[in-house]
Amino acid sequence: MALFVDRVSVRTRAMQLGVMVTLSSATASVAADKPEATTVEENPGWIVTLGAGTEYGPTFEGSGDNDFSFVPNFDIRRANEPAGLSAPDDNIDFSLIELGGVELGPVASIRGNRSKSDVPGVHEIDWSVDVGAFGQYWLIDNRLRVRAEARQGVQSDDGFVADFAVDWFQSFGDKFLLSAGPRASFADATYMENSFGVSSAEALDNGRLSAFSPDAGFKSVGFVVGATYQINPKTSLLVYDKFDRLVGDAADSPIVTDIGSPNQNTIGIVLSRSFHIGF
């Protein structure tokens, strides 16, 4: 979870692929250090993962300019709970229900900002929090996963967005894990208006952009690939690339066609370290 103001946009990538791989190995390491297994079972404690990294990508959704941003990482779970696999762009979630292979639970993310200097004369977009629910199902256990997230922004003009993903996970020995899969994202009219709309007054103030009022619909399709290297049992390095192509009314917005780009590519790297806390 990350927060950036002005020229540096908010980034929200859970980075849980590297986290989960690290946690899995860290759990085994912690258990090996304990003299008796019953102690871990009775009072397992927690595994906390802290990490930091950077992303290089669009300064706001639809931008043609790129910039670096800092990406912190945090995750926590009980030491005796099994770790799972996750894609680099999964948002922060917690599985509450597991039924017939289907996992359901809450999800949250941070939505990026856009300043007046990014698009002169057009309204700013403040950073915000999205909350909602996720669901996922493993078509092939620990190999092929389908996932959906539905999130609503907490501010009145944030709107609703739903993301859909399919991922293939492939390990290479004990050190490397790759994931890759397609993406699609849907947004309601409120989200589209806030991110890609231009009012008549704003068009006049800007002088270059024409007025535009987008409708609800799919806003992007894309692809994500991630690679995790297990440096040691408690430390992992995640490298990823996420490409999105804006479509529909999002791609037709003058913010995109006149001063931005429909091609949105983000690359990132995150180093994570796990710790056992016994309380």
Side-chain angles (χ1 to χ4, degrees), residues 21-45:
V21 175
T22 301
L23 296 182
S24 179
S25 299
T27 304
S29 175
V30 169
D33 293 338
K34 295 292 183 180
E36 297 182 9
T38 55
T39 303
V40 175
E41 291 297 325
E42 294 172 359
N43 184 22

Short mmCIF file of all heavy atoms in Angstrom, two decimals, residues 21-45:
data_model
loop_
_atom_site.label_atom_id
_atom_site.label_comp_id
_atom_site.label_asym_id
_atom_site.label_seq_id
_atom_site.Cartn_x
_atom_site.Cartn_y
_atom_site.Cartn_z
N VAL A 21 5.45 -16.57 -1.44
CA VAL A 21 6.58 -17.49 -1.58
C VAL A 21 7.52 -17.34 -0.40
O VAL A 21 8.01 -18.30 0.17
CB VAL A 21 7.33 -17.23 -2.89
CG1 VAL A 21 8.57 -18.12 -2.97
CG2 VAL A 21 6.43 -17.51 -4.08
N THR A 22 7.80 -16.10 -0.01
CA THR A 22 8.67 -15.84 1.14
C THR A 22 8.07 -16.40 2.41
O THR A 22 8.76 -17.03 3.21
CB THR A 22 8.88 -14.32 1.30
OG1 THR A 22 9.48 -13.82 0.11
CG2 THR A 22 9.77 -14.02 2.49
N LEU A 23 6.77 -16.20 2.62
CA LEU A 23 6.12 -16.66 3.83
C LEU A 23 6.15 -18.16 3.94
O LEU A 23 6.33 -18.72 5.01
CB LEU A 23 4.67 -16.17 3.86
CG LEU A 23 4.48 -14.66 3.93
CD1 LEU A 23 3.01 -14.34 4.00
CD2 LEU A 23 5.21 -14.08 5.10
N SER A 24 5.95 -18.84 2.83
CA SER A 24 5.95 -20.29 2.84
C SER A 24 7.29 -20.82 3.31
O SER A 24 7.38 -21.71 4.15
CB SER A 24 5.63 -20.82 1.44
OG SER A 24 5.65 -22.23 1.44
N SER A 25 8.37 -20.26 2.77
CA SER A 25 9.70 -20.70 3.15
C SER A 25 10.02 -20.27 4.58
O SER A 25 10.67 -21.00 5.32
CB SER A 25 10.75 -20.11 2.20
OG SER A 25 10.52 -20.55 0.89
N ALA A 26 9.57 -19.07 4.95
CA ALA A 26 9.84 -18.57 6.29
C ALA A 26 9.19 -19.44 7.35
O ALA A 26 9.74 -19.69 8.41
CB ALA A 26 9.37 -17.12 6.43
N THR A 27 7.98 -19.94 7.07
CA THR A 27 7.28 -20.80 8.01
C THR A 27 8.07 -22.06 8.28
O THR A 27 8.21 -22.51 9.42
CB THR A 27 5.89 -21.15 7.46
OG1 THR A 27 5.19 -19.95 7.18
CG2 THR A 27 5.11 -21.98 8.47
N ALA A 28 8.59 -22.65 7.20
CA ALA A 28 9.38 -23.87 7.35
C ALA A 28 10.63 -23.60 8.16
O ALA A 28 11.04 -24.40 9.00
CB ALA A 28 9.75 -24.41 5.97
N SER A 29 11.26 -22.45 7.92
CA SER A 29 12.48 -22.10 8.64
C SER A 29 12.21 -21.90 10.12
O SER A 29 12.96 -22.35 10.97
CB SER A 29 13.10 -20.83 8.04
OG SER A 29 14.21 -20.43 8.79
N VAL A 30 11.10 -21.23 10.42
CA VAL A 30 10.76 -20.97 11.81
C VAL A 30 10.47 -22.27 12.54
O VAL A 30 10.90 -22.50 13.66
CB VAL A 30 9.54 -20.03 11.90
CG1 VAL A 30 9.01 -19.97 13.31
CG2 VAL A 30 9.93 -18.65 11.41
N ALA A 31 9.73 -23.17 11.88
CA ALA A 31 9.39 -24.44 12.50
C ALA A 31 10.64 -25.24 12.80
O ALA A 31 10.73 -25.92 13.82
CB ALA A 31 8.45 -25.23 11.59
N ALA A 32 11.64 -25.16 11.93
CA ALA A 32 12.88 -25.91 12.12
C ALA A 32 13.65 -25.41 13.33
O ALA A 32 14.39 -26.15 13.96
CB ALA A 32 13.75 -25.81 10.87
N ASP A 33 13.50 -24.15 13.68
CA ASP A 33 14.20 -23.57 14.81
C ASP A 33 13.57 -23.92 16.15
O ASP A 33 14.18 -23.75 17.19
CB ASP A 33 14.26 -22.05 14.68
CG ASP A 33 15.13 -21.64 13.50
OD1 ASP A 33 15.97 -22.45 13.08
OD2 ASP A 33 14.94 -20.50 13.01
N LYS A 34 12.32 -24.38 16.14
CA LYS A 34 11.61 -24.70 17.37
C LYS A 34 12.00 -26.08 17.87
O LYS A 34 12.02 -27.04 17.11
CB LYS A 34 10.09 -24.64 17.14
CG LYS A 34 9.58 -23.26 16.80
CD LYS A 34 9.70 -22.34 17.97
CE LYS A 34 9.12 -20.97 17.66
NZ LYS A 34 9.22 -20.05 18.79
N PRO A 35 12.26 -26.26 19.16
CA PRO A 35 12.65 -27.56 19.68
C PRO A 35 11.53 -28.58 19.65
O PRO A 35 11.78 -29.76 19.51
CB PRO A 35 13.10 -27.24 21.12
CG PRO A 35 12.38 -25.98 21.48
CD PRO A 35 12.29 -25.21 20.20
N GLU A 36 10.28 -28.14 19.82
CA GLU A 36 9.15 -29.06 19.83
C GLU A 36 8.05 -28.52 18.95
O GLU A 36 7.66 -27.37 19.06
CB GLU A 36 8.62 -29.26 21.25
CG GLU A 36 9.65 -29.90 22.20
CD GLU A 36 9.06 -30.13 23.56
OE1 GLU A 36 7.83 -29.94 23.72
OE2 GLU A 36 9.81 -30.49 24.49
N ALA A 37 7.49 -29.39 18.08
CA ALA A 37 6.45 -28.98 17.14
C ALA A 37 5.18 -28.58 17.87
O ALA A 37 4.42 -27.75 17.42
CB ALA A 37 6.15 -30.10 16.14
N THR A 38 4.93 -29.20 19.06
CA THR A 38 3.71 -28.89 19.79
C THR A 38 3.68 -27.44 20.22
O THR A 38 2.62 -26.83 20.33
CB THR A 38 3.59 -29.80 21.02
OG1 THR A 38 4.78 -29.66 21.81
CG2 THR A 38 3.42 -31.26 20.61
N THR A 39 4.85 -26.85 20.48
CA THR A 39 4.91 -25.44 20.87
C THR A 39 4.39 -24.55 19.77
O THR A 39 3.65 -23.61 20.00
CB THR A 39 6.35 -25.04 21.23
OG1 THR A 39 6.82 -25.88 22.26
CG2 THR A 39 6.40 -23.59 21.69
N VAL A 40 4.75 -24.86 18.50
CA VAL A 40 4.30 -24.07 17.36
C VAL A 40 2.80 -24.20 17.18
O VAL A 40 2.10 -23.25 16.87
CB VAL A 40 5.04 -24.52 16.08
CG1 VAL A 40 4.50 -23.78 14.87
CG2 VAL A 40 6.53 -24.29 16.22
N GLU A 41 2.28 -25.43 17.41
CA GLU A 41 0.86 -25.64 17.22
C GLU A 41 0.04 -24.90 18.28
O GLU A 41 -1.00 -24.35 18.00
CB GLU A 41 0.55 -27.15 17.25
CG GLU A 41 1.08 -27.92 16.06
CD GLU A 41 0.45 -27.45 14.76
OE1 GLU A 41 -0.75 -27.08 14.76
OE2 GLU A 41 1.15 -27.42 13.74
N GLU A 42 0.53 -24.95 19.56
CA GLU A 42 -0.23 -24.33 20.63
C GLU A 42 -0.15 -22.81 20.58
O GLU A 42 -1.10 -22.11 20.88
CB GLU A 42 0.31 -24.83 21.98
CG GLU A 42 0.05 -26.32 22.20
CD GLU A 42 0.76 -26.85 23.43
OE1 GLU A 42 1.46 -26.04 24.10
OE2 GLU A 42 0.62 -28.04 23.74
N ASN A 43 1.00 -22.27 20.24
CA ASN A 43 1.19 -20.83 20.17
C ASN A 43 2.07 -20.50 18.96
O ASN A 43 3.26 -20.22 19.10
CB ASN A 43 1.83 -20.31 21.46
CG ASN A 43 1.94 -18.80 21.46
OD1 ASN A 43 1.23 -18.11 20.74
ND2 ASN A 43 2.86 -18.30 22.27
N PRO A 44 1.50 -20.58 17.76
CA PRO A 44 2.31 -20.46 16.54
C PRO A 44 2.89 -19.08 16.32
O PRO A 44 3.89 -18.92 15.63
CB PRO A 44 1.32 -20.82 15.42
CG PRO A 44 -0.02 -20.43 15.98
CD PRO A 44 0.07 -20.75 17.45
N GLY A 45 2.28 -18.05 16.87
CA GLY A 45 2.73 -16.69 16.60
C GLY A 45 2.35 -16.26 15.19
O GLY A 45 1.42 -16.80 14.59
#
